[in-house]
Amino acid sequence: MESTMQDVHALKGQDFVRVSYPKDLARLVKESQEKAAAFWTLPDEIKDSFGYQPDTVRSGVGYQSAESGRDPKEHFHVRLADAAWLREQTARVDHPAVTAFVETALELLVRLKPFAQDDFLRPAERELDVPDLAKKTLASHEFWLLRFLHYHEGSEAEEFAAEHVDKGAFTAHLLETDSGFERYTPEGKWEPVEFGDGETMIIAGLGLQYLSRCQLIAMHHRVVANERTRTTGRDSIVCFFAFEDQVHYDKGKWGPTQQFPAGYFYRMPFEEFRTYFIQ
């Protein structure tokens, strides 16, 4: 079956759109999750030995564990621009589960490019009148960030991911092992959003809201726990897309976006919205 997209105008009307994968990509996403699941079960000393390479501008790459805070979890970041470093760390750790995980993740990033181009970017640019959306996103392919997340079983947290808005261009939720994702609606209510096996859900970040001059709105969202996920945990794979020459949210001036109430940017006119970015 070829990939298909829900009406792209849904991105404007309900701030997300679902896109089904072609069969080969669906298999690779599933395989990536299986490799990640094997990685999460490794002893902490092996995972910790991989290391994490921070980045002063973008999110870093590698493995990190956050056992405290509002949403305790562990995660692994992969970016093609840092493939050499990731492979160096993989060779140093020298564990077959680590090697299989990293190589599959890098392959997934490569395979996502034509899928994003043909099945989301070009239709969205054409139908939603966002000039240069495809060109700017494809030019920054090596900086797309693939994030593998594992929320721990046995957690007492009410939320696995605290309410927030993504700061990048847009985000593709490639896979979730359970329900719990919720969006904050323009009407001021939290509502669950689900997507099935074999499809991704794409939401706008602050970068796309900026590029579209507030015609598209960055979704405020969270992941809540339920009885099942508190017992078994929850995994997800997301891809954060970047723009070439992207204008970034000014965290130094305004602080973390988590401080703003849900829906803070939803009805903001562009001339006010742009003041929150580094010009």
Side-chain angles (χ1 to χ4, degrees):
M1 185 180 82
E2 294 302 315
S3 58
T4 57
M5 180 167 60
Q6 170 192 19
D7 183 1
V8 70
H9 290 91
L11 192 62
K12 181 179 291 186
Q14 63 187 18
D15 57 41
F16 69 91
V17 64
R18 299 181 181 93
V19 189
S20 67
Y21 300 121
K23 286 184 177 180
D24 60 339
L25 186 55
R27 285 193 295 267
L28 184 56
V29 170
K30 183 178 180 180
E31 181 184 355
S32 298
Q33 169 55 26
E34 292 169 351
K35 304 299 186 188
F39 177 84
W40 303 135
T41 64
L42 292 174
D44 288 343
E45 55 267 27
I46 293 178
K47 293 183 291 186
D48 290 336
S49 71
F50 193 96
Y52 185 80
Q53 180 170 257
D55 189 303
T56 57
V57 177
R58 302 174 175 87
S59 295
V61 294
Y63 173 77
Q64 274 192 321
S65 178
E67 300 295 341
S68 59
R70 296 181 66 185
D71 46 3
K73 59 183 179 294
E74 54 185 338
H75 59 75
F76 197 101
H77 290 177
V78 179
R79 188 165 44 221
L80 289 176
D82 298 286
W85 182 85
L86 290 164
R87 287 185 167 123
E88 287 173 4
Q89 298 302 100
T90 300
R92 184 180 55 77
V93 174
D94 192 23
H95 191 287
V98 176
T99 302
F101 173 40
V102 171
E103 290 300 328
T104 304
L106 289 169
E107 181 185 357
L108 178 57
L109 272 173
V110 171
R111 299 276 290 280
L112 280 172
K113 183 177 183 180
F115 168 70
Q117 172 184 280
D118 297 336
D119 295 280
F120 173 69
L121 291 169
R122 285 179 174 166
E125 179 180 295
R126 181 177 62 250
E127 298 297 329
L128 299 176
D129 191 26
V130 184
D132 296 327
L133 174 63
K135 177 183 176 181
K136 287 179 176 291
T137 308
L138 296 171
S140 66
H141 177 224
E142 64 176 343
F143 296 107
W144 298 359
L145 184 79
L146 198 59
R147 174 180 289 173
F148 294 82
L149 282 157
H150 174 63
Y151 298 103
H152 297 292
E153 57 275 7
S155 172
E156 297 298 322
E158 293 298 316
E159 295 179 341
F160 279 139
E163 58 184 65
H164 65 285
V165 61
D166 294 341
K167 296 186 288 291
F170 56 92
T171 306
H173 289 255
L174 303 177
L175 181 146
E176 312 273 342
T177 59
D178 213 310
S179 60
F181 185 97
E182 293 187 346
R183 66 186 278 258
Y184 191 75
T185 70
E187 294 73 36
K189 297 180 180 179
W190 287 103
E191 73 172 24
V193 179
E194 296 186 11
F195 56 101
D197 291 340
E199 64 180 5
T200 180
M201 178 178 67
I202 297 174
I203 67 174
L206 292 177
L208 185 52
Q209 183 166 342
Y210 187 97
L211 186 66
S212 69
R213 301 180 67 85
C214 291
Q215 296 304 302
L216 302 174
I217 303 302
M219 179 200 289
H220 216 99
H221 57 285
R222 66 185 183 184
V223 178
V224 297
N226 58 44
E227 185 175 347
R228 182 175 54 252
T229 54
R230 287 193 188 96
T231 301
T232 63
R234 187 181 190 276
D235 292 352
S236 65
I237 309 174
V238 297
C239 185
F240 297 101
F241 292 80
F243 290 144
E244 181 184 43
D245 302 325
Q246 182 171 323
V247 178
H248 293 278
Y249 169 78
D250 193 345
K251 184 177 179 179
K253 179 179 180 180
W254 297 101
T257 59
Q258 288 89 338
Q259 69 177 307
F260 300 117
Y264 180 78
F265 295 108
Y266 279 12
R267 293 182 173 85
M268 187 175 289
F270 179 70
E271 287 307 312
E272 179 182 356
F273 181 74
R274 68 191 301 272
T275 65
Y276 288 83
F277 290 75
I278 300 171
Q279 302 297 322

